[in-house]
Amino acid sequence: MFRRDFISLLVGALVAGSRAIAQTQSKVYRVGTLLPGPPVDEKSPLGAILLQKLEQHGYTLGKNLAFEARGAGGQLSKLGEIVRSMKADQVDVIVAGGFPTTLACKVANVPTVVFLGVGDPVATHLIDSLAHPGGNITGISDNAAALATKRLELIKQAVPKGRRVAMLWNRNDLGMDRDPPDAIFMVADVLTTLNRKRMFDYAGAHHIPALYEYDVPNVHDGGLMSYGPDLNESMERAAGLTARIFGGARPADLPFEEPTHYKLVVNLKTAKATSIELPVNFLALADEVIE
């Protein structure tokens, strides 16, 4: 009798265990991307990197992974609504870019991995500390304030005789015709990114060297040069953090990481088209030259 009961109990445990494993293997994890501008979908370079790296961690699109790409199209007032919609769709992790997007995710309390554009998340009260974020946010911190000195140094090397640098952070700062600067540094946000072509045209027409924070989309779309974190690397590491959250880790317990690779990218086609001559020793510093 005891033996029969023991066997029945053992078989029941094995069946229950098999069902639990099957349920775990059949779970579909949902990852979303959200930016204040256009969405980063599976056809974009960064979206493709995210999905490729997640697959290396065992999460494959169409099998145990679903992907939702959203963007606010520059309408920041819609970010809260979009995040709430993604939460209602049971998105497990939002991979976010930009401070307004990350703030909306914080308010909605959705697990979030930041891959660019939040500056110092401690100073802006997005997290408690880099080592112990607390709350629902972790990711990659590209401290723009700390990079400002390096970017100004590069501008000085590109324009040795320059004395005045104009810093632009919205589209209303293009009215400099009366007293044009020697160089321009454009801070990345949704307004400047959406109006980048106007910036390209202005700088080109006045033969003014301009430095941008990110090569994508700025320098690849016709901007002259950029210095900032390698966004491909940042997205790869964001994928790793996302996989850890899928595996049960809490964003609150995952320390923020810093980029390890920064890129100077120069568009020589733009330099030639706008008659801007860059010093040879400056070009030698470039990690990538677009010709």
Side-chain angles (χ1 to χ4, degrees), residues 98-107 112 114 116-130 132-138 140-141 256:
F99 174 79
T101 305
T102 308
L103 180 60
C105 292
K106 178 181 176 68
V107 171
T112 303
V114 181
L116 89 161
V118 292
D120 183 347
V122 178
T124 54
H125 307 293
L126 287 173
I127 61 174
D128 297 335
S129 70
L130 294 176
H132 303 284
N136 60 297
I137 299 170
T138 187
I140 313 298
S141 172
F256 255 75

Side-chain angles (χ1 to χ4, degrees), residues 71-94:
Q75 301 182 55
L76 301 185
S77 61
K78 291 188 175 182
L79 283 170
E81 177 185 347
I82 294 173
V83 173
R84 290 191 294 271
S85 173
M86 297 175 78
K87 185 176 182 178
D89 290 341
Q90 298 183 328
V91 169
D92 295 293
V93 179
I94 294 179

Side-chain angles (χ1 to χ4, degrees), residues 107-184:
V107 171
N109 195 30
V110 179
T112 303
V113 175
V114 181
F115 80 99
L116 89 161
V118 292
D120 183 347
V122 178
T124 54
H125 307 293
L126 287 173
I127 61 174
D128 297 335
S129 70
L130 294 176
H132 303 284
N136 60 297
I137 299 170
T138 187
I140 313 298
S141 172
D142 57 337
N143 193 333
L147 286 172
T149 301
K150 176 64 176 179
R151 286 167 171 150
L152 289 174
E153 288 177 358
L154 288 170
I155 289 175
K156 179 62 177 177
Q157 289 179 275
V159 192
K161 296 181 180 180
R163 293 293 180 270
R164 289 176 297 179
V165 177
M167 180 178 289
L168 302 186
W169 60 90
N170 64 57
R171 62 184 178 183
N172 296 320
D173 286 329
L174 293 181
M176 298 179 292
D177 289 336
R178 294 182 181 178
D179 194 17
D182 300 307
I184 296 171

Side-chain angles (χ1 to χ4, degrees), residues 35-276:
L35 273 79
V40 173
D41 58 23
E42 65 270 22
K43 296 180 180 179
S44 69
L46 290 176
I49 289 173
L50 174 64
L51 295 176
Q52 179 184 27
K53 290 300 175 181
L54 283 175
E55 185 171 8
Q56 292 177 5
H57 286 282
Y59 303 97
T60 303
L61 189 64
K63 293 182 179 178
N64 61 344
L65 180 70
F67 181 49
E68 182 175 337
R70 303 288 293 273
Q75 301 182 55
L76 301 185
S77 61
K78 291 188 175 182
L79 283 170
E81 177 185 347
I82 294 173
V83 173
R84 290 191 294 271
S85 173
M86 297 175 78
K87 185 176 182 178
D89 290 341
Q90 298 183 328
V91 169
D92 295 293
V93 179
I94 294 179
V95 178
F99 174 79
T101 305
T102 308
L103 180 60
C105 292
K106 178 181 176 68
V107 171
N109 195 30
V110 179
T112 303
V113 175
V114 181
F115 80 99
L116 89 161
V118 292
D120 183 347
V122 178
T124 54
H125 307 293
L126 287 173
I127 61 174
D128 297 335
S129 70
L130 294 176
H132 303 284
N136 60 297
I137 299 170
T138 187
I140 313 298
S141 172
D142 57 337
N143 193 333
L147 286 172
T149 301
K150 176 64 176 179
R151 286 167 171 150
L152 289 174
E153 288 177 358
L154 288 170
I155 289 175
K156 179 62 177 177
Q157 289 179 275
V159 192
K161 296 181 180 180
R163 293 293 180 270
R164 289 176 297 179
V165 177
M167 180 178 289
L168 302 186
W169 60 90
N170 64 57
R171 62 184 178 183
N172 296 320
D173 286 329
L174 293 181
M176 298 179 292
D177 289 336
R178 294 182 181 178
D179 194 17
D182 300 307
I184 296 171
F185 170 52
M186 195 177 86
V187 177
D189 66 13
V190 64
L191 286 176
T192 55
T193 299
L194 290 176
N195 289 277
R196 61 188 181 279
K197 293 295 179 65
R198 293 183 61 201
M199 182 67 255
F200 300 162
D201 292 343
Y202 176 87
H206 293 79
H207 313 290
I208 301 173
L211 179 76
Y212 305 88
E213 290 190 313
Y214 302 109
D215 58 320
V216 178
N218 297 303
V219 181
H220 289 271
D221 277 0
L224 180 63
M225 54 188 177
S226 67
Y227 180 77
D230 183 340
L231 295 184
N232 291 349
E233 182 208 34
S234 295
M235 185 59 90
E236 289 175 357
R237 295 167 69 185
L241 290 168
T242 300
R244 293 180 66 182
I245 296 172
F246 284 167
R250 301 188 312 156
D253 301 326
L254 296 176
F256 255 75
E257 301 177 4
E258 294 185 358
T260 59
H261 184 212
Y262 294 86
K263 293 171 58 179
L264 172 62
V265 181
V266 178
N267 191 325
L268 269 187
K269 292 191 296 184
T270 297
K272 293 175 181 177
T274 55
S275 301
I276 295 175

